[in-house]
Amino acid sequence: MKLNNYKAPLREWFNQADRKKEKDESVSALKVEDLYFSYVEGKPILQHIHFDIKKGEMVSIVGKNGAGKSTLSNLICGFYKPVKGRILLNGEDVAPLSIKERGEKIGLVMQSPNQMISKPMIYEEVALGLAVRGVPEKEMKERVYETLKICGLYPFRNWPVSALSFGQKKRVSIASILVMNPEVLILDEPTAGQDYRHYTEIMEFLKDINENFGITIIMITHDMHLMLEYTDRAIVIADGHLIADDTPARILTNEQIADKAYLKKTSLYDLAVNCQIDNPSEFVERFIAYERQQRKLRIEKVKENPAHVKDIIL
């Protein structure tokens, strides 16, 4: 691609573009300390995993298949026990908590809604966790209806799950977790199997509940676009080791990390290099910040006038 006519304007835009605003992230939500795990003694799956996710963060965990990402989420939720190390929620060790007790604080949404949904009716599915815990009928109904409204599912509250699209079923599986009022939400490949329109809908929905309700969100994903556009931080795991904990832009402009974890490097890096921009990582961060700002403006435009809905996916 010939860029000679664009180099100077792009460098000028970069120099004038707003820097990404740093969030005030001082309170720990979920902390992993020196975590080790193996299914068979002497064959470690995870080694020396350590990170601290702050309240209200939206973080991605990335790496190739078999790196240990899903195993890590199962350890956090209590399905497995670590060989060594600790997992802290709000500064407290979760080891004494049962899976049920952890589930009230840390919600896990699996990749396919069909792995989670067990009731034929939407209301019954979302109410299931509350019913199991003996929540009174009146309170349960109020919480389910409120959650369905948040998830955009209230008009379908009396529908069978089978009548929903894949994306709507995904929302039902998220609603069944949200109704428990979790502090941390873990999603395994939240956009898998969805076209761009539904991908955008689910990601904007997750972004909304993160910003409006302060829920800490962790996404296990192979989607580098999701990682760049929707998260401010990425944790990279390769062969059972944590090899990076940084901004998505810096990770996807680091060839050594990207190659080791089998991540696809962003073409924005090549664009910055070809245009002789001194700091490619900073260019990527400013570009993504600009894109987020423009997307927000387009969404606000659609809210004011639904006829502009096509603008969201352009």
Side-chain angles (χ1 to χ4, degrees), residues 13-28:
W13 173 86
F14 171 66
N15 290 328
Q16 295 177 354
D18 293 335
R19 293 177 179 271
K20 187 184 74 172
K21 295 180 180 179
E22 298 295 331
K23 292 183 178 180
D24 180 15
E25 298 162 344
S26 56
V27 182
S28 176

Side-chain angles (χ1 to χ4, degrees), residues 94-162:
V94 299
L97 300 180
S98 66
I99 293 175
K100 178 182 175 183
E101 289 170 329
R102 287 198 208 188
E104 294 172 354
K105 303 173 183 291
I106 305 171
L108 175 63
V109 180
M110 297 179 185
Q111 179 173 334
S112 171
N114 296 326
Q115 295 174 281
M116 297 183 64
I117 295 173
S118 60
K119 293 292 184 179
M121 305 300 291
I122 293 172
Y123 179 91
E124 292 177 347
E125 178 61 31
V126 178
L128 180 60
L130 299 178
V132 168
R133 288 163 175 82
V135 174
E137 182 68 30
K138 182 180 178 182
E139 179 187 345
M140 181 165 60
K141 188 172 184 178
E142 289 174 354
R143 288 173 64 174
V144 170
Y145 279 1
E146 181 61 29
T147 303
L148 289 174
K149 288 174 184 176
I150 292 169
C151 296
L153 293 168
Y154 184 74
F156 315 117
R157 59 194 178 281
N158 297 318
W159 283 30
V161 173
S162 59

Side-chain angles (χ1 to χ4, degrees), residues 43-237:
K43 295 183 178 180
I45 302 297
L46 293 171
Q47 303 180 65
H48 190 47
I49 302 297
H50 54 281
F51 54 80
D52 187 359
I53 296 174
K54 306 300 184 180
K55 285 186 181 294
E57 273 198 288
M58 200 161 173
V59 177
S60 52
I61 298 179
V62 298
K64 65 180 180 180
N65 286 334
K69 304 185 302 297
S70 294
T71 299
L72 177 58
S73 68
N74 286 327
L75 283 162
I76 292 170
C77 293
F79 302 131
Y80 303 145
K81 292 185 178 180
V83 173
K84 178 185 174 184
R86 297 196 306 165
I87 299 168
L88 308 176
L89 180 69
N90 300 325
E92 299 290 332
D93 193 341
V94 299
L97 300 180
S98 66
I99 293 175
K100 178 182 175 183
E101 289 170 329
R102 287 198 208 188
E104 294 172 354
K105 303 173 183 291
I106 305 171
L108 175 63
V109 180
M110 297 179 185
Q111 179 173 334
S112 171
N114 296 326
Q115 295 174 281
M116 297 183 64
I117 295 173
S118 60
K119 293 292 184 179
M121 305 300 291
I122 293 172
Y123 179 91
E124 292 177 347
E125 178 61 31
V126 178
L128 180 60
L130 299 178
V132 168
R133 288 163 175 82
V135 174
E137 182 68 30
K138 182 180 178 182
E139 179 187 345
M140 181 165 60
K141 188 172 184 178
E142 289 174 354
R143 288 173 64 174
V144 170
Y145 279 1
E146 181 61 29
T147 303
L148 289 174
K149 288 174 184 176
I150 292 169
C151 296
L153 293 168
Y154 184 74
F156 315 117
R157 59 194 178 281
N158 297 318
W159 283 30
V161 173
S162 59
L164 301 181
S165 67
F166 183 89
Q168 289 170 324
K169 288 179 182 178
K170 192 86 171 182
R171 289 197 182 211
V172 170
S173 64
I174 294 172
S176 67
I177 300 297
L178 283 183
V179 77
M180 304 300 299
N181 297 323
E183 297 176 47
V184 177
L185 188 61
I186 303 174
L187 299 107
D188 191 356
E189 298 291 353
T191 57
Q194 298 184 59
D195 59 26
Y196 187 68
R197 178 190 167 198
H198 291 101
Y199 165 102
T200 302
E201 285 179 355
I202 197 69
M203 288 312 304
E204 289 298 326
F205 163 65
L206 291 172
K207 183 169 169 286
D208 281 346
I209 63 173
N210 168 252
E211 293 179 350
N212 296 327
F213 298 94
I215 296 175
T216 304
I217 294 180
I218 303 169
M219 292 180 285
I220 300 169
T221 184
H222 288 93
D223 189 335
M224 297 301 97
H225 177 267
L226 180 158
M227 169 182 158
L228 267 174
E229 186 160 351
Y230 288 98
T231 64
D232 294 317
R233 180 177 166 203
I235 294 166
V236 186
I237 297 177

Side-chain angles (χ1 to χ4, degrees), residues 254-272:
N254 185 314
E255 292 192 21
Q256 184 178 359
I257 292 173
D259 289 343
K260 189 170 184 179
Y262 289 76
L263 306 178
K264 185 178 180 182
K265 294 183 288 293
T266 174
S267 57
L268 290 172
Y269 174 80
D270 295 326
L271 178 63

